[in-house]
Amino acid sequence: MIGKLTTALALSTTTAALVLGAGTATASTGAPGVALTGQATCTHKSDRIDIEIDAPVVYAQSGYLPGEHQQIRYRTVIYDAAQGTLAGAGEWEKGKATAIRAADLDGTNMKVLRNDPNRYKVVQQVEWLAPDGENALASTDLYATSYLIKDGRTVLGTFEYCQ
């Protein structure tokens, strides 16, 4: 038991260092658990952009033992930094996480209009829930690490914004 707990703590500490080192988690409230996100893919299709991003990797908050589950929820929000507006928000996705096993969550696929200028930012809002499954104990915003831009199947490159 102590060996498993030590392994879980080492994993949590190592992963937390990766998150804090990468600077992807911001706007935290409460004491969030470990959460990581990745690159978004933005595909141009005529007058719209299809934006895809994998679900974040989210573990339970500190204090949960390896076998204990905590409910997690997240949603994807897209902001247009050029216009200063909200471009879209997805539905909340729920899952259960432990200290050593990430929540099983689905990725997001959203469509936005292709206007000029536009600079879309993809943010995954993550919440760690109380045992009632409704009230958030902690939350954080995870910004996509980069944006792979494609025109149909042709890769145009990796950019700071989805455009």
Side-chain angles (χ1 to χ4, degrees):
M1 176 69 175
I2 291 178
K4 289 181 182 178
L5 183 57
T6 304
T7 302
L9 289 174
L11 175 64
S12 294
T13 304
T14 302
T15 310
L18 289 172
V19 170
L20 296 175
T24 57
T26 61
S28 297
T29 59
V34 174
L36 299 167
T37 193
Q39 181 180 60
T41 300
C42 306
T43 306
H44 297 176
K45 293 188 178 178
S46 64
D47 65 340
R48 70 178 195 278
I49 301 174
D50 290 354
I51 299 175
E52 295 178 61
I53 188 166
D54 289 336
V57 178
V58 183
Y59 293 90
Q61 288 178 283
S62 175
Y64 277 81
L65 296 176
E68 294 180 315
H69 290 89
Q70 181 177 23
Q71 288 191 44
I72 308 295
R73 71 179 169 201
Y74 95 97
R75 70 175 176 174
T76 301
V77 177
I78 300 172
Y79 297 101
D80 187 345
Q83 307 288 335
T85 59
L86 176 66
E91 297 290 323
W92 287 102
E93 166 91 19
K94 283 189 176 182
K96 291 183 180 180
T98 69
I100 59 172
R101 180 169 283 147
D104 184 20
L105 303 165
D106 292 330
T108 303
N109 186 351
M110 296 177 70
K111 296 172 182 16
V112 293
L113 291 177
R114 185 175 173 188
N115 314 340
D116 285 324
N118 57 27
R119 292 184 181 178
Y120 294 114
K121 283 285 197 183
V122 178
V123 180
Q124 293 176 318
Q125 297 177 329
V126 179
E127 293 184 346
W128 288 262
L129 302 178
D132 66 8
E134 293 298 321
N135 296 307
L137 296 174
S139 65
T140 193
D141 291 342
L142 302 173
Y143 289 81
T145 56
S146 62
Y147 300 91
L148 178 66
I149 309 298
K150 296 167 67 178
D151 189 9
R153 290 189 228 176
T154 305
V155 175
L156 301 177
T158 302
F159 296 89
E160 186 179 345
Y161 296 97
C162 181
Q163 47 197 6

